[in-house]
Amino acid sequence: MTILPAQETHPEHWKKASAIRALTLDAVAGANSGHSGMPMGMADVATVLYEKHLKFDASAPDWADRDRFILSAGHGSMLLYSLLYLTGAPEMTIEEIKNFRQWGAKTAGHPEYGHAPGIETTTGPLGQGISNAVGFAIAEEVLRARFGRKLVDHYTYCIAGDGCLMEGVSQEAIGLAGKQELSKLIVLWDNNNITIDGTVEIADKTDQMARFRASGWSVFECDGHDPEDIDQAIAAAKKSSKPSMIACKTHIAIGSAAQDTPKGHGALTDPKVVADAKAAYGWTYGPYEVPADIKSAWEAIGARGAAARAEWTERLEATSAARQAEFARVMAGEPPKRLGATVRALKKSFVEDMPKLATRAASQKALDAINPVAPETVGGSADLTGSNNTKAGGIEVFDPSNRKGRYIHYGIREHGMAAAMNGIALHGGVKPYGGTFMCFADYARGAMRLSALMGVPAVYVLSHDSIGLGEDGPTHQPVEHLAMLRATPNTLVFRPADATETAEAWEVALEQKATPSVLALSRQGTPALRDSYSAKNLTARGGYIMAEATGKRQAILMATGTEVAIAMKAREILEAEGIGTRVVSMPCWELFEQQDEAWRRKVLPAGPVRVAVEAGVRFGWDRWLCDERGRREKAGFVGMEGFGASAPAEVLYEKFGITAEAAAQKVRDLLA
């Protein structure tokens, strides 16, 4: 067992750090589950960070110019919860600590964004936090360039463990941060050399310090249990013109029988182990007990930033009323006032011109109009700018030479892009969107799921949305991806049919405050289908009548995206045969589900046969193919049953039977 010199040389520091360790041991033992070792090992680093460096005011944990603290190693959540409680965060009470990992508690097993102020992001899936931190740092740079250093000037600190650095997304994030020279980003690496299965060496031999240096970072190291060494390392990192990594050499589960062992990673619940560890710390107090003098010392740390916040408030109030209002608007995530009028004007132009456009091209036209009136948007692409059509509206490239730029070249880093977008949005004041091919949502999936879980209103621009991308073949042709995305809770999946629906989808997406959006966009052109102007946003309804039957309604064709045009041609065929056919466009199932029953019954009444047309798999469509009684014997599907192939788009649609004639024949068969 390591005997720490700080116990004797820095007794006041030691007491404060021991409070973190003791609360961790008590909470994990009380829950009979959790991860004790990391908070015990990183308590010294966290204490120095909070006492000497972190700019925050515990009484106002959402202060806009606070330093952000990201616990990427989210399994060590008791480190964060202990810090919030000890410094006096209003919502983190001792009762919450006692309810660690219990139903309804703010102290979930891993930090959950939204549970309590001071939890900046949801971490648990390793590598996400450090990648989010890159986004936080980007947002700080963007806002500082826009509003000035007097209003925006803070750091992003992140504690990451060995596991975070092994996850592939961490390298995507590290490379991006190094390229962007994010000097206000400091990562504290918990270098304890332990994973669940054993020492790090059983699976990895990476020289992490060399890796960060090679990626454009400044690298420092310290004894993670020596408060003076820790302080000096953080102070040096803050002076760097690059992002910084500090290798903090620590002992996991320090002071316990499980120190420096894989067992120390998990839950230390044995009463003797807990008692012996506390004895090693000199901690003689009862469970969940923090002596008044130690709690007061921590609360003084929590109050230290009040003066800085007051000075910041004075600077804010000294600016113009318009500037204050704009800062408040973007930090609150409110859409720009001109958004609706801008989209309506664009829709009018589309009705006048009736352009045949790929919806990815229509998306660029929407962004050309929206970006100038929405200065908070920051776009980007994972090396597919010309294909995703995401650089629009005259925005410049964001890089170290131009922090006023609003377009990020993320490189071939789909997962890193999505995770950074989460951080950008969580920071506040910036609305991120980013593009890639839809099939590469697989690569971004981990971060996209967290967008939904946290309620982050990021916008994912996923072009090349079907076999319609053609010759690149089945590796690039998404068939199951719409089903996967639609299956994700709290996600709006838009697949617009034409330019008008695309503009409407952008309007809805940018109005969201707690829901991410996916825009599934085509490579191939599709005709304009909405030939009359409506001020109403019909896409916001999720599903609506695109064309009505001229005679007795016998069939309803439902479709999304480019297949709505196919449904319209099938309607012409059927109407010519005297079969009254309605076409329903369903650009967003989630919004259609949210409509009242009257609207859904109006759009999809009982009686007519129903056929869905979509260049993807059927999975999910039966929800809408069934009538109100759940019957689907009078329903059919025209779409994909397997993967695509390499050929021109028009050939693929014919060979896979996604045609107007195939849809018409499906109706005939059902009516027979």
Side-chain angles (χ1 to χ4, degrees), residues 60-139:
D62 291 335
W63 168 34
D65 199 38
R66 68 193 181 279
D67 287 344
R68 270 62 171 181
F69 172 61
I70 311 299
L71 184 64
S72 188
H75 55 276
S77 57
M78 270 308 302
L79 178 72
L80 176 56
Y81 302 149
S82 297
L83 289 164
L84 292 174
Y85 164 67
L86 290 167
T87 55
E91 294 189 26
M92 192 57 64
T93 63
I94 194 64
E95 286 72 27
E96 292 292 344
I97 301 295
K98 291 178 180 178
N99 286 326
F100 178 56
R101 289 184 159 229
Q102 304 309 303
W103 175 262
K106 301 179 189 299
T107 47
H110 294 82
E112 300 287 348
Y113 173 73
H115 277 32
I119 302 174
E120 301 284 4
T121 182
T122 293
T123 53
L126 294 176
Q128 292 295 326
I130 187 173
S131 306
N132 292 166
V134 173
F136 276 90
I138 289 172

Coordinates of all heavy atoms in Angstrom, one line a residue, residues 60-139:
A60 N -24.0 29.1 -9.0 CA -24.5 29.3 -10.4 C -23.8 28.4 -11.4 O -23.0 28.8 -12.2 CB -24.3 30.8 -10.8
P61 N -24.1 27.1 -11.3 CA -23.3 26.1 -12.0 C -23.5 26.2 -13.5 O -22.7 25.6 -14.3 CB -23.8 24.8 -11.5 CG -25.1 25.1 -10.8 CD -25.1 26.5 -10.3
D62 N -24.5 27.0 -14.0 CA -24.7 27.1 -15.4 C -24.2 28.5 -16.0 O -24.5 28.9 -17.1 CB -26.2 27.0 -15.8 CG -26.7 25.6 -15.6 OD1 -25.9 24.7 -15.6 OD2 -27.9 25.4 -15.3
W63 N -23.4 29.2 -15.2 CA -22.8 30.5 -15.6 C -22.2 30.3 -17.0 O -21.4 29.4 -17.2 CB -21.9 30.9 -14.5 CG -21.0 32.1 -14.9 CD1 -21.2 33.1 -15.7 CD2 -19.6 32.3 -14.5 NE1 -20.2 33.9 -15.8 CE2 -19.2 33.4 -15.1 CE3 -18.8 31.6 -13.6 CZ2 -17.9 33.9 -14.8 CZ3 -17.5 32.1 -13.4 CH2 -17.1 33.2 -14.0
A64 N -22.5 31.2 -17.9 CA -22.1 31.0 -19.3 C -20.5 30.9 -19.5 O -20.0 30.2 -20.3 CB -22.7 32.0 -20.2
D65 N -19.8 31.7 -18.7 CA -18.4 31.8 -18.9 C -17.6 30.9 -17.9 O -16.4 31.2 -17.7 CB -17.9 33.2 -18.8 CG -16.5 33.4 -19.5 OD1 -16.3 32.8 -20.5 OD2 -15.7 34.2 -18.9
R66 N -18.2 29.9 -17.3 CA -17.5 29.0 -16.4 C -16.5 28.2 -17.2 O -16.7 27.9 -18.4 CB -18.5 28.1 -15.7 CG -19.2 27.1 -16.6 CD -20.4 26.4 -16.0 NE -21.0 25.5 -16.9 CZ -21.8 25.8 -17.9 NH1 -22.2 27.0 -18.1 NH2 -22.4 24.8 -18.6
D67 N -15.5 27.7 -16.6 CA -14.7 26.6 -17.2 C -15.6 25.3 -17.2 O -16.4 25.1 -16.3 CB -13.5 26.3 -16.3 CG -12.4 27.4 -16.5 OD1 -12.5 28.2 -17.4 OD2 -11.5 27.4 -15.6
R68 N -15.4 24.5 -18.2 CA -16.2 23.3 -18.3 C -15.3 22.1 -17.8 O -14.1 22.1 -18.2 CB -16.6 23.0 -19.7 CG -18.0 23.5 -20.1 CD -18.1 25.0 -20.1 NE -19.3 25.5 -20.7 CZ -19.6 26.8 -20.7 NH1 -18.9 27.7 -20.3 NH2 -20.8 27.1 -21.3
F69 N -15.8 21.3 -17.0 CA -15.1 20.1 -16.5 C -15.9 18.9 -17.0 O -17.0 18.6 -16.7 CB -15.1 20.1 -15.0 CG -14.5 18.8 -14.4 CD1 -13.2 18.4 -14.7 CD2 -15.3 18.0 -13.6 CE1 -12.7 17.2 -14.2 CE2 -14.8 16.8 -13.1 CZ -13.5 16.4 -13.4
I70 N -15.2 18.0 -17.8 CA -15.7 16.9 -18.4 C -15.1 15.6 -17.8 O -13.9 15.5 -17.8 CB -15.5 16.8 -19.9 CG1 -15.9 18.2 -20.6 CG2 -16.2 15.7 -20.6 CD1 -17.3 18.6 -20.4
L71 N -15.9 14.7 -17.2 CA -15.4 13.5 -16.7 C -15.6 12.4 -17.7 O -16.6 11.7 -17.8 CB -16.1 13.1 -15.4 CG -15.6 11.9 -14.7 CD1 -14.2 12.1 -14.2 CD2 -16.5 11.5 -13.5
S72 N -14.5 12.3 -18.6 CA -14.7 11.3 -19.7 C -14.7 9.9 -19.1 O -15.5 9.0 -19.7 CB -13.5 11.4 -20.7 OG -13.7 10.7 -21.8
A73 N -13.9 9.6 -18.1 CA -14.0 8.3 -17.5 C -15.2 8.2 -16.6 O -15.2 8.2 -15.3 CB -12.7 8.1 -16.6
G74 N -16.4 8.2 -17.2 CA -17.6 8.4 -16.5 C -18.0 7.3 -15.5 O -18.8 7.5 -14.6
H75 N -17.3 6.1 -15.5 CA -17.6 5.1 -14.5 C -17.2 5.6 -13.1 O -17.7 5.2 -12.1 CB -16.8 3.8 -14.8 CG -15.4 4.0 -15.0 ND1 -14.8 4.4 -16.2 CD2 -14.3 3.9 -14.2 CE1 -13.5 4.5 -16.1 NE2 -13.2 4.2 -14.9
G76 N -16.2 6.6 -13.1 CA -15.8 7.2 -11.8 C -16.7 8.3 -11.4 O -16.2 9.4 -10.9
S77 N -18.0 8.2 -11.6 CA -18.9 9.3 -11.5 C -18.9 9.9 -10.0 O -19.2 11.1 -9.8 CB -20.4 8.8 -11.8 OG -20.7 7.7 -11.0
M78 N -18.6 9.1 -9.1 CA -18.6 9.6 -7.7 C -17.5 10.7 -7.5 O -17.7 11.5 -6.6 CB -18.4 8.5 -6.7 CG -19.7 7.8 -6.2 SD -20.9 9.0 -5.5 CE -20.0 9.8 -4.3
L79 N -16.5 10.7 -8.3 CA -15.6 11.9 -8.3 C -16.4 13.2 -8.6 O -16.2 14.2 -7.8 CB -14.5 11.7 -9.3 CG -13.5 12.8 -9.4 CD1 -12.6 12.8 -8.2 CD2 -12.6 12.7 -10.7
L80 N -17.2 13.2 -9.6 CA -17.9 14.4 -10.0 C -19.0 14.7 -9.0 O -19.1 15.8 -8.5 CB -18.5 14.2 -11.4 CG -19.4 15.3 -11.9 CD1 -18.7 16.6 -11.9 CD2 -20.0 15.0 -13.3
Y81 N -19.7 13.7 -8.5 CA -20.8 13.9 -7.6 C -20.2 14.4 -6.2 O -20.8 15.4 -5.6 CB -21.6 12.7 -7.3 CG -22.2 12.1 -8.6 CD1 -22.4 10.7 -8.7 CD2 -22.6 12.8 -9.6 CE1 -23.0 10.1 -9.8 CE2 -23.2 12.3 -10.8 CZ -23.4 10.9 -10.8 OH -24.0 10.4 -12.0
S82 N -19.1 13.9 -5.8 CA -18.5 14.4 -4.6 C -18.0 15.8 -4.7 O -18.3 16.6 -3.8 CB -17.2 13.5 -4.3 OG -17.6 12.2 -4.0
L83 N -17.5 16.2 -5.9 CA -17.0 17.6 -6.1 C -18.2 18.5 -6.1 O -18.1 19.6 -5.5 CB -16.3 17.7 -7.4 CG -14.9 17.0 -7.4 CD1 -14.4 16.8 -8.9 CD2 -13.9 17.8 -6.6
L84 N -19.3 18.1 -6.7 CA -20.5 19.0 -6.7 C -21.1 19.2 -5.3 O -21.4 20.3 -4.9 CB -21.5 18.4 -7.7 CG -21.2 18.4 -9.1 CD1 -22.3 17.7 -10.0 CD2 -21.0 19.9 -9.6
Y85 N -21.2 18.1 -4.6 CA -21.7 18.2 -3.2 C -20.8 19.0 -2.3 O -21.2 19.9 -1.6 CB -21.9 16.8 -2.6 CG -22.0 16.8 -1.1 CD1 -23.1 17.4 -0.5 CD2 -21.0 16.3 -0.3 CE1 -23.3 17.5 0.9 CE2 -21.1 16.4 1.1 CZ -22.3 16.9 1.7 OH -22.4 17.0 3.0
L86 N -19.5 18.7 -2.4 CA -18.5 19.4 -1.4 C -18.4 20.9 -1.7 O -18.3 21.7 -0.8 CB -17.2 18.7 -1.6 CG -17.0 17.3 -1.0 CD1 -15.7 16.7 -1.5 CD2 -17.2 17.3 0.5
T87 N -18.5 21.3 -3.0 CA -18.4 22.7 -3.3 C -19.7 23.5 -3.1 O -19.7 24.7 -3.2 CB -17.9 22.9 -4.7 OG1 -18.7 22.2 -5.6 CG2 -16.4 22.4 -4.9
G88 N -20.8 22.8 -2.9 CA -22.0 23.5 -2.6 C -23.0 23.6 -3.7 O -23.8 24.5 -3.7
A89 N -22.9 22.8 -4.7 CA -23.8 22.9 -5.8 C -25.2 22.6 -5.3 O -25.4 21.6 -4.6 CB -23.5 21.8 -6.9
P90 N -26.2 23.5 -5.5 CA -27.5 23.5 -4.8 C -28.2 22.2 -4.9 O -28.9 21.7 -4.0 CB -28.3 24.6 -5.5 CG -27.2 25.5 -6.0 CD -26.1 24.7 -6.4
E91 N -28.1 21.5 -6.1 CA -29.0 20.3 -6.3 C -28.2 19.0 -5.9 O -28.8 17.9 -6.0 CB -29.4 20.2 -7.8 CG -30.4 21.3 -8.1 CD -31.0 21.2 -9.5 OE1 -31.1 20.0 -10.0 OE2 -31.4 22.2 -10.1
M92 N -27.0 19.1 -5.5 CA -26.3 17.9 -5.2 C -26.1 17.8 -3.7 O -25.1 18.2 -3.1 CB -24.9 17.8 -5.8 CG -24.2 16.5 -5.8 SD -25.2 15.1 -6.5 CE -25.2 15.5 -8.2
T93 N -27.1 17.2 -3.0 CA -27.2 17.1 -1.6 C -26.6 15.8 -1.1 O -26.3 14.9 -1.9 CB -28.7 17.2 -1.1 OG1 -29.4 16.1 -1.6 CG2 -29.3 18.5 -1.6
I94 N -26.4 15.7 0.2 CA -25.9 14.5 0.8 C -26.9 13.4 0.6 O -26.5 12.2 0.4 CB -25.5 14.7 2.3 CG1 -24.7 13.5 2.8 CG2 -26.8 14.8 3.1 CD1 -23.3 13.4 2.1
E95 N -28.2 13.7 0.5 CA -29.2 12.7 0.2 C -29.0 12.1 -1.2 O -29.2 10.9 -1.4 CB -30.6 13.3 0.4 CG -31.1 13.5 1.8 CD -30.3 14.7 2.4 OE1 -29.9 15.6 1.7 OE2 -30.2 14.8 3.7
E96 N -28.6 12.9 -2.1 CA -28.4 12.4 -3.5 C -27.1 11.5 -3.4 O -27.1 10.4 -4.1 CB -28.1 13.6 -4.4 CG -29.4 14.4 -4.7 CD -30.4 13.6 -5.5 OE1 -30.1 12.6 -6.1 OE2 -31.6 14.1 -5.5
I97 N -26.1 11.8 -2.7 CA -25.0 11.0 -2.6 C -25.4 9.6 -1.9 O -24.9 8.5 -2.4 CB -23.9 11.6 -1.7 CG1 -23.4 13.0 -2.3 CG2 -22.7 10.7 -1.5 CD1 -22.7 12.8 -3.6
K98 N -26.2 9.7 -1.0 CA -26.7 8.4 -0.3 C -27.5 7.6 -1.3 O -27.6 6.3 -1.1 CB -27.5 8.7 0.9 CG -26.6 9.3 2.1 CD -27.5 9.7 3.3 CE -26.7 10.3 4.4 NZ -27.5 10.6 5.6
N99 N -28.1 8.2 -2.2 CA -29.0 7.5 -3.2 C -28.3 7.1 -4.5 O -28.9 6.8 -5.5 CB -30.2 8.3 -3.5 CG -31.2 8.3 -2.4 OD1 -31.4 7.3 -1.6 ND2 -31.9 9.4 -2.2
F100 N -27.0 7.1 -4.4 CA -26.1 6.8 -5.6 C -26.6 5.5 -6.3 O -26.9 4.5 -5.6 CB -24.7 6.6 -5.1 CG -23.7 6.2 -6.2 CD1 -23.5 7.0 -7.3 CD2 -22.9 5.1 -6.0 CE1 -22.6 6.6 -8.3 CE2 -22.0 4.7 -6.9 CZ -21.8 5.5 -8.1
R101 N -26.9 5.6 -7.6 CA -27.3 4.5 -8.4 C -28.7 4.0 -8.1 O -29.1 2.9 -8.5 CB -26.3 3.4 -8.4 CG -25.0 3.7 -9.1 CD -24.0 2.5 -9.1 NE -23.0 2.7 -10.2 CZ -22.7 1.8 -11.1 NH1 -23.3 0.6 -11.1 NH2 -21.8 2.0 -12.0
Q102 N -29.5 4.8 -7.4 CA -30.9 4.4 -7.1 C -31.9 5.1 -8.0 O -31.6 6.1 -8.6 CB -31.2 4.6 -5.6 CG -30.2 4.0 -4.7 CD -30.0 2.5 -4.9 OE1 -30.9 1.7 -4.9 NE2 -28.7 2.1 -5.2
W103 N -33.1 4.5 -8.0 CA -34.2 5.0 -8.9 C -34.4 6.5 -8.5 O -34.6 6.8 -7.4 CB -35.4 4.2 -8.7 CG -36.6 4.7 -9.4 CD1 -37.6 5.5 -8.9 CD2 -36.9 4.6 -10.8 NE1 -38.5 5.8 -9.9 CE2 -38.1 5.3 -11.1 CE3 -36.3 3.9 -11.8 CZ2 -38.7 5.3 -12.3 CZ3 -36.8 4.0 -13.1 CH2 -38.0 4.7 -13.3
G104 N -34.5 7.3 -9.6 CA -34.9 8.7 -9.4 C -33.7 9.6 -8.9 O -33.9 10.8 -8.8
A105 N -32.6 9.1 -8.6 CA -31.5 9.9 -8.0 C -30.8 10.7 -9.2 O -30.7 10.2 -10.3 CB -30.5 9.0 -7.3
K106 N -30.3 11.8 -8.8 CA -29.5 12.6 -9.8 C -28.1 11.9 -10.0 O -27.4 12.2 -10.9 CB -29.3 14.0 -9.3 CG -30.6 14.8 -9.1 CD -30.4 16.2 -8.6 CE -31.7 16.9 -8.2 NZ -32.6 17.0 -9.3
T107 N -27.8 11.1 -9.0 CA -26.4 10.4 -9.0 C -26.5 9.1 -9.7 O -26.4 8.0 -9.0 CB -26.0 10.3 -7.5 OG1 -27.0 9.8 -6.7 CG2 -25.6 11.6 -6.9
A108 N -26.7 9.1 -11.0 CA -26.8 7.8 -11.7 C -25.5 7.1 -11.8 O -24.4 7.7 -11.4 CB -27.3 8.1 -13.1
G109 N -25.5 5.9 -12.2 CA -24.2 5.1 -12.2 C -23.2 5.8 -13.0 O -22.0 5.7 -12.7
H110 N -23.5 6.4 -14.1 CA -22.6 7.2 -14.9 C -23.2 8.6 -15.0 O -24.5 8.8 -15.0 CB -22.4 6.7 -16.3 CG -21.7 5.3 -16.3 ND1 -22.3 4.1 -16.1 CD2 -20.4 5.0 -16.5 CE1 -21.4 3.2 -16.2 NE2 -20.3 3.7 -16.4
P111 N -22.4 9.7 -15.1 CA -23.0 11.0 -15.2 C -24.0 11.2 -16.3 O -23.7 10.8 -17.5 CB -21.8 11.9 -15.4 CG -20.6 11.1 -14.9 CD -21.0 9.7 -15.2
E112 N -25.1 11.7 -16.0 CA -26.2 11.9 -17.0 C -26.5 13.3 -17.2 O -27.0 14.0 -16.2 CB -27.5 11.1 -16.6 CG -27.3 9.6 -16.5 CD -27.1 8.9 -17.8 OE1 -27.4 9.5 -18.9 OE2 -26.7 7.7 -17.8
Y113 N -26.3 13.9 -18.3 CA -26.6 15.3 -18.6 C -28.0 15.6 -18.3 O -28.9 14.8 -18.8 CB -26.2 15.6 -20.0 CG -26.6 17.0 -20.4 CD1 -26.0 18.1 -20.0 CD2 -27.7 17.2 -21.3 CE1 -26.3 19.4 -20.3 CE2 -28.1 18.5 -21.6 CZ -27.4 19.6 -21.1 OH -27.8 20.9 -21.5
G114 N -28.3 16.7 -17.6 CA -29.7 17.1 -17.3 C -30.1 16.6 -16.0 O -31.1 17.1 -15.5
H115 N -29.4 15.7 -15.3 CA -29.8 15.2 -14.0 C -29.6 16.3 -13.0 O -30.4 16.5 -12.0 CB -29.1 13.9 -13.6 CG -29.7 12.7 -14.2 ND1 -30.4 12.6 -15.4 CD2 -29.8 11.4 -13.7 CE1 -30.8 11.4 -15.6 NE2 -30.5 10.7 -14.6
A116 N -28.5 17.0 -13.1 CA -28.1 18.1 -12.2 C -27.2 19.1 -12.8 O -26.3 18.7 -13.6 CB -27.5 17.5 -10.9
P117 N -27.3 20.4 -12.5 CA -26.4 21.3 -13.0 C -25.0 20.9 -12.6 O -24.8 20.5 -11.5 CB -26.8 22.7 -12.4 CG -28.2 22.5 -12.1 CD -28.4 21.0 -11.7
G118 N -24.0 21.2 -13.4 CA -22.6 20.8 -13.1 C -22.2 19.5 -13.8 O -21.0 19.2 -13.9
I119 N -23.2 18.7 -14.3 CA -22.9 17.5 -15.1 C -23.0 18.0 -16.6 O -24.1 18.2 -17.1 CB -23.9 16.4 -14.8 CG1 -23.9 16.0 -13.4 CG2 -23.6 15.2 -15.7 CD1 -25.0 15.0 -13.0
E120 N -21.9 18.3 -17.2 CA -21.8 18.9 -18.5 C -22.2 18.0 -19.6 O -22.7 18.5 -20.7 CB -20.4 19.5 -18.7 CG -19.9 20.5 -17.7 CD -20.5 21.9 -17.8 OE1 -21.4 22.0 -18.7 OE2 -20.1 22.8 -17.0
T121 N -22.0 16.7 -19.5 CA -22.3 15.8 -20.6 C -22.5 14.4 -20.0 O -22.1 14.1 -18.9 CB -21.2 15.8 -21.6 OG1 -21.6 14.9 -22.7 CG2 -19.9 15.4 -21.1
T122 N -23.2 13.6 -20.7 CA -23.3 12.2 -20.4 C -22.1 11.4 -20.8 O -21.7 11.4 -22.0 CB -24.6 11.5 -21.1 OG1 -25.7 12.2 -20.5 CG2 -24.6 10.0 -20.8
T123 N -21.4 10.8 -19.8 CA -20.3 10.0 -20.1 C -20.5 8.6 -19.5 O -21.2 8.4 -18.6 CB -19.0 10.6 -19.6 OG1 -19.1 10.9 -18.2 CG2 -18.7 11.9 -20.4
G124 N -19.8 7.7 -20.0 CA -19.9 6.3 -19.7 C -19.3 5.4 -20.8 O -18.3 4.7 -20.6
P125 N -19.9 5.6 -22.0 CA -19.2 5.0 -23.1 C -17.8 5.6 -23.3 O -17.7 6.8 -23.5 CB -20.1 5.3 -24.3 CG -21.4 5.5 -23.7 CD -21.1 6.2 -22.4
L126 N -16.7 4.9 -23.1 CA -15.4 5.5 -23.0 C -15.0 6.1 -24.3 O -15.4 5.7 -25.4 CB -14.4 4.4 -22.6 CG -14.6 3.8 -21.2 CD1 -13.6 2.7 -20.9 CD2 -14.5 4.9 -20.1
G127 N -14.3 7.2 -24.2 CA -13.9 8.0 -25.4 C -14.8 9.1 -25.8 O -14.4 10.0 -26.5
Q128 N -16.1 9.0 -25.3 CA -17.1 10.1 -25.7 C -16.8 11.4 -25.0 O -16.8 12.5 -25.6 CB -18.5 9.6 -25.4 CG -19.0 8.5 -26.2 CD -19.1 8.8 -27.7 OE1 -19.5 9.9 -28.0 NE2 -18.9 7.8 -28.5
G129 N -16.4 11.3 -23.7 CA -16.2 12.6 -23.0 C -15.0 13.4 -23.6 O -15.2 14.6 -23.8
I130 N -13.9 12.8 -23.8 CA -12.8 13.5 -24.4 C -13.1 14.0 -25.8 O -12.7 15.1 -26.1 CB -11.5 12.6 -24.4 CG1 -10.3 13.4 -24.8 CG2 -11.7 11.4 -25.3 CD1 -9.0 12.7 -24.7
S131 N -13.9 13.3 -26.5 CA -14.4 13.8 -27.8 C -15.4 14.9 -27.7 O -15.3 15.9 -28.5 CB -14.9 12.6 -28.6 OG -14.0 11.5 -28.7
N132 N -16.3 14.8 -26.7 CA -17.2 16.0 -26.4 C -16.3 17.2 -26.1 O -16.7 18.3 -26.4 CB -18.1 15.7 -25.3 CG -19.1 14.6 -25.5 OD1 -19.7 14.1 -24.6 ND2 -19.3 14.2 -26.8
A133 N -15.3 17.0 -25.3 CA -14.5 18.1 -24.8 C -13.9 18.9 -25.9 O -13.8 20.1 -25.9 CB -13.4 17.6 -23.9
V134 N -13.5 18.2 -27.0 CA -13.0 18.9 -28.2 C -14.1 19.8 -28.7 O -13.8 21.0 -29.1 CB -12.6 17.9 -29.2 CG1 -12.2 18.6 -30.6 CG2 -11.4 17.1 -28.7
G135 N -15.4 19.4 -28.8 CA -16.5 20.2 -29.2 C -16.7 21.4 -28.3 O -17.0 22.5 -28.7
F136 N -16.6 21.2 -27.0 CA -16.7 22.3 -26.0 C -15.7 23.3 -26.3 O -16.0 24.6 -26.3 CB -16.6 21.8 -24.6 CG -17.8 21.2 -23.9 CD1 -18.1 19.9 -24.1 CD2 -18.6 22.0 -23.2 CE1 -19.2 19.4 -23.4 CE2 -19.8 21.5 -22.6 CZ -20.1 20.2 -22.7
A137 N -14.5 22.9 -26.6 CA -13.4 23.9 -26.8 C -13.6 24.6 -28.2 O -13.3 25.8 -28.3 CB -12.0 23.1 -26.8
I138 N -14.1 23.9 -29.2 CA -14.4 24.6 -30.4 C -15.5 25.6 -30.2 O -15.3 26.8 -30.7 CB -14.9 23.5 -31.5 CG1 -13.7 22.7 -31.9 CG2 -15.5 24.2 -32.7 CD1 -14.1 21.5 -32.8
A139 N -16.5 25.3 -29.5 CA -17.6 26.3 -29.2 C -17.1 27.5 -28.5 O -17.5 28.6 -28.8 CB -18.7 25.6 -28.4

